[in-house]
């Protein structure tokens, strides 16, 4: 389990700095593994045309998309935006786990809350998610735009994207989609930590000798379930992040003024199912991301405790 434990089972209690080290290591290791899935997810989310039928868009399925991207852009396209994405994951992992451990500890000492672990896990997770998303948002916007572009490129690299966004959009450009991002990430992270601790507690009752496998399975389940519930807000977030950004070779790109107008516009133009484009690869990515994130975090914490 993650979060404050009055009686640590696997060794000493870590300091805030040590928790941040574990969170940083978890973010970096996880990103290196799941970047291709992130590229596929974002491409599906940003495609406004239907995935099937006579007027279908460029990407129509998971394997078709993989083949098409390799054909048009090469294998390296699956690591487009990897540098800002790696920075995003490092910052996000560091802030998320450090904040969660801090909030978990603080909430546990409030009279009357000690016996409500599920509620405190959800509340601490929600705060941790909002803090991490706000800190990492500029890198998220840059990552999304680098992944979204095809050939010819709008941005040559990360630093070109930073300067161009600053030139034409100023500070608000780095925080496009912040409202749906926070609306999605607060309950998502809260659910993620709640479900993870709940499943890992059950796992440890029956499979004590398989702690690493338990962290992976519990994390994958937590990420998949949470993502499935809140997926439309994730799609809207990415649509808003490419506002004021011209995408070449990917079909139409609508501009939306705010989260609610974006939701209405997507439903009107693409039907209710438009809010769930890319759900398949997104669930695979969410499960892998969450599973590896918790696994690497737990492993890093164990290594730090015993050194």
């Amino acid at each position: 389990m993650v979060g404050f434990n009055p009686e640590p089972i696997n060794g000493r209690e870590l300091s805030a700095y040590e928790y941040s080290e574990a969170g940083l290591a978890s973010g970096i290791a996880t990103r290196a593994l799941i970047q291709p899935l992130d590229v596929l997810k974002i491409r599906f989310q940003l495609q406004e045309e239907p995935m099937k039928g006579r007027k279908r868009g460029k990407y129509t399925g998971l394997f078709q998309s993989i083949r098409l991207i390799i054909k048009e852009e090469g294998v390296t396209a699956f690591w487009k935006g990897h540098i800002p994405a790696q920075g995003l994951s490092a910052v996000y992992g560091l802030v998320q786990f450090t904040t969660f451990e801090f909030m978990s500890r603080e909430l546990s000492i409030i009279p009357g809350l000690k016996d409500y672990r599920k509620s405190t896990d959800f509340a601490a997770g929600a705060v941790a998610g909002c803090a991490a998303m706000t800190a990492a948002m500029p890198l998220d916007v840059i990552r999304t735009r680098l992944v979204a572009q095809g050939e010819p490129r709008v941005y040559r690299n990360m630093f070109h994207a930073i300067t161009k966004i600053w030139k034409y959009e100023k500070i608000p450009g780095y925080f496009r989609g912040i409202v749906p991002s926070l609306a999605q990430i607060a309950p998502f992270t809260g659910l993620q930590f709640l479900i993870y601790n709940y499943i890992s507690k059950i796992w440890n009752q029956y499979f004590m000798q398989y702690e690493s496998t338990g962290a992976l399975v519990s994390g994958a389940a937590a990420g998949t379930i949470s993502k499935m519930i809140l997926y439309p807000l994730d799609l809207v977030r990415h649509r808003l992040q490419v506002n004021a950004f011209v995408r070449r070779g990917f079909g139409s790109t609508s501009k939306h003024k705010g989260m609610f107008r974006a939701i209405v516009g997507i439903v009107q133009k693409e039907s209710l199912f438009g809010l769930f484009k890319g759900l398949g690869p997104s669930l695979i990515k969410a499960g892998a991301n969450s599973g590896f994130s918790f696994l690497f975090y737990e492993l890093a914490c164990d290594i730090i405790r015993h050194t």
Side-chain angles (χ1 to χ4, degrees):
M1 290 177 65
V2 297
F4 177 66
N5 253 318
E7 299 176 1
I9 299 173
N10 296 323
R12 65 182 177 84
E13 180 66 20
L14 303 185
S15 66
Y17 177 75
E18 289 171 325
Y19 279 126
S20 68
E21 282 185 320
L24 180 65
S26 172
I28 292 172
T30 302
R31 172 56 57 180
L33 294 175
I34 57 92
Q35 176 68 8
L37 290 170
D38 208 29
V39 170
L40 287 167
K41 181 197 79 167
I42 292 173
R43 291 287 179 92
F44 277 118
Q45 287 182 334
L46 298 182
Q47 178 174 283
E48 297 187 9
E49 292 77 15
M51 295 177 65
K52 296 180 179 179
R54 191 164 51 86
K55 296 182 180 180
R56 63 181 180 270
K58 187 170 186 176
Y59 304 117
T60 59
L62 183 62
F63 295 108
Q64 179 267 349
S65 303
I66 293 171
R67 290 194 300 270
L68 187 59
I69 291 172
I70 292 174
K71 179 182 177 181
E72 293 186 346
E73 305 169 56
V75 176
T76 56
F78 291 106
W79 278 269
K80 275 186 175 179
H82 184 59
I83 294 176
Q86 192 61 265
L88 160 68
S89 293
V91 172
Y92 194 92
L94 188 156
V95 176
Q96 176 186 240
F97 283 110
T98 305
T99 305
F100 180 80
E101 296 288 353
F102 172 78
M103 290 299 301
S104 176
R105 179 192 298 274
E106 294 302 307
L107 290 173
S108 69
I109 62 176
I110 297 176
L113 290 183
K114 186 177 181 181
D115 298 326
Y116 295 93
R117 182 60 189 260
K118 293 184 179 67
S119 298
T120 56
D121 279 346
F122 182 86
V127 174
C130 288
M133 178 55 71
T134 303
M137 191 69 188
L139 288 166
D140 190 31
V141 170
I142 292 166
R143 178 278 307 255
T144 299
R145 294 196 180 186
L146 289 175
V147 169
Q149 68 180 354
E151 300 294 341
R153 297 183 178 186
V154 178
Y155 306 115
R156 293 190 297 272
N157 51 46
M158 174 181 171
F159 299 105
H160 183 230
I162 292 172
T163 55
K164 198 165 183 179
I165 292 172
W166 175 259
K167 181 178 179 181
Y168 293 105
E169 303 170 57
K170 303 304 180 187
I171 291 178
Y174 298 112
F175 290 89
R176 288 191 181 275
I178 186 68
V179 174
S181 294
L182 295 180
Q184 180 241 352
I185 209 66
F188 173 78
T189 314
L191 282 171
Q192 195 176 36
F193 278 103
L194 186 158
I195 295 170
Y196 175 80
N197 279 339
Y198 178 75
I199 295 177
S200 63
K201 184 178 180 180
I202 295 174
W203 178 278
N204 289 334
Q205 288 178 348
Y206 298 97
F207 307 103
M208 278 293 291
Q209 68 271 36
Y210 299 108
E211 290 185 12
S212 296
T213 306
L216 183 63
V217 171
S218 301
T224 303
I225 295 169
S226 302
K227 177 63 73 175
M228 189 181 299
I229 295 171
L230 298 159
Y231 183 76
L233 288 172
D234 189 48
L235 182 141
V236 171
R237 170 172 75 99
H238 284 121
R239 291 285 181 98
L240 290 176
Q241 285 179 340
V242 296
N243 266 355
F245 167 58
V246 179
R247 301 174 71 227
R248 301 187 180 99
F250 291 99
S252 59
T253 301
S254 300
K255 293 184 179 180
H256 305 285
K257 295 181 179 179
M259 179 176 76
F260 294 108
R261 290 187 182 182
I263 293 172
V264 172
I266 291 169
V267 172
Q268 287 178 341
K269 186 176 180 180
E270 308 168 49
S271 82
L272 186 64
F273 294 106
L275 292 171
F276 293 89
K277 281 182 176 175
L279 179 62
S282 184
L283 290 180
I284 296 171
K285 183 252 178 179
N289 183 69
S290 183
F292 285 122
S293 180
F294 280 106
L295 171 63
F296 291 138
Y297 179 71
E298 296 268 28
L299 289 175
C301 285
D302 285 342
I303 290 170
I304 294 171
R305 281 192 185 101
H306 295 97
T307 53

